[in-house]
Amino acid sequence: MAAVTSIMRVEQVLMAELNELLKPFDLTFPRYEALMLLSFSQRGELPLGKVGERLQVHRTSVTNTVDRLEASGYVRRKPHPEDRRTTLAEVTPAGRRTAKRATAVLNEGAFALRGLSRAETQEPTSLLRKARAAAGDFE
């Protein structure tokens, strides 16, 4: 119980810090994750369903996330060239620039766990990797 509570509380603290750092980019951490996913995809685009699968979120969350990214000019929707039932989310040049700048800000700030050395951050990563694998999550 203590371990789970500590993990959940750290997640809340980190999420608040990340969202604060991302606010100037009109991003939240979930939107940042989606933007990075698209940026790292082979062609800079993915079907909305794949975005949900890879981020492990419900399709309504994907719709909301892509709506907000589209409103910011970071993503555009386009029809799939071979499947009329499928819509693609494609990162725009502005989205790529923003993803790069936001990552730099996050690397400077919140991706470092305060109070832990670089070596110490490897311990929870290693332990939590085991828990994720046991739950069937990807490593």
Side-chain angles (χ1 to χ4, degrees), residues 81-94:
E82 298 159 10
D83 183 354
R84 294 184 328 191
R85 299 167 296 163
T86 301
T87 300
L88 299 172
E90 178 183 47
V91 65
T92 65

Side-chain angles (χ1 to χ4, degrees), residues 37-113:
L37 175 66
L38 294 170
S39 295
F40 285 135
S41 68
Q42 213 167 24
R43 296 186 321 201
E45 62 187 31
L46 287 170
L48 296 182
K50 279 279 185 220
V51 172
E53 285 175 28
R54 298 221 175 124
L55 295 178
Q56 298 180 334
V57 297
H58 192 271
R59 66 178 175 242
T60 56
S61 294
V62 173
T63 299
N64 183 37
T65 298
V66 171
D67 285 349
R68 297 296 302 266
L69 289 170
E70 196 171 33
S72 297
Y74 300 153
V75 166
R76 70 178 141 253
R77 282 182 172 86
K78 67 181 204 179
H80 192 287
E82 298 159 10
D83 183 354
R84 294 184 328 191
R85 299 167 296 163
T86 301
T87 300
L88 299 172
E90 178 183 47
V91 65
T92 65
R96 286 190 187 278
R97 287 190 302 275
T98 299
K100 187 176 181 178
R101 290 186 0 246
T103 298
V105 168
L106 292 176
N107 282 330
E108 290 172 16
F111 280 155
L113 292 171

